[in-house]
Amino acid sequence: MTLFLLAVFILLQVPTYSQSQSPALEIVESIPIETNLDNADIRDATDVWLEMINGAKQMLDFEQFYISPQKGEPLDTILSAIQQAAARGVKVRFIVDSRMYKTYPETVDKWNALNKADVRAGMFPEARVLDFGKAGGGIQHAKFFIVDGEEIFLGSQNFDWRALKHIHELGIRLRHKDAVALYQDIFELDWKLCEASNSEKLKIPVERKTYKTLFQLISEVKDTVTFTPTYSPKAYIADTTLWDEPQILNLINSAKQEVMLQFLSYSTRARDGSTYSAIQDAMKAAAARGVRVKMIVSDWEKDHPAVDSLKALS
């Protein structure tokens, strides 16, 4: 599974900040219209996405779980902006997961058909399907897009019309060329993996390299922020020091007062049916040494067998 986790720590004192300087990191949200939970100080994902896409001059690279639009909804506006970017000469590439493509093939098929039918090459987004099951096991679950190699949006939002209007989501807009370069390398690798998985080649070589692991940024609330990129799976990581699991465990193991976790789901059951307890063990150890551990999960977890993992924590 290709996954991206953000380790972000906000420090309260900032020595200098220019009013004309754009923040390097902005927190973005999507709030269900059925609720009154909107935070007026945090911009909506739809507005931020449109601003980024409409500002693209050379390149837009999207890696998403799937694409599921509905006419008249915000995602429909986003997809129109993407097509307009391609029409004005921006190179647009899109990767989706193979399993979810079977459920939602319409947008991918439409773009690729238009590319084949139109003599004006590149006037529509080019979409590829990644079979990560063949390439490395699991699914392509990353959700990010890169603009001109200079800024990136990372978050929990799927390219699903419901994600922008009816689901609670969080993300960040990151403006830092060196940090973004790591994600550009990931996209380029996965773009090649799309070809490899389609041609029955199960693996492609991964060039090992060392990335800078900490980036000092300025947030939209004028705080300094330490940003650490992490990702999975380990077999397709150029710099294995940035593998998700040890970074997550390090955060929990280094906690002194409180750990707050919020997920769609939580389970100690691995894909093959075995027990995976590394994160659970870290949370228990934190609680045992006096750290307050709080977790929120979706109500999807109320039924068996998902609820069994939660019960084990108590």
Side-chain angles (χ1 to χ4, degrees), residues 20 28 77 100 167 188 236 293:
S20 62
V28 180
T77 305
M100 294 302 289
I167 303 175
E188 299 298 343
Y236 283 97
V293 181

Side-chain angles (χ1 to χ4, degrees), residues 49-58 88 90 147-148 151:
W49 286 12
L50 285 173
E51 184 175 287
M52 295 175 70
I53 293 165
N54 291 335
K57 296 177 176 62
Q58 298 176 329
R88 68 174 182 265
V90 176
V147 181
D148 293 334
E151 63 173 341

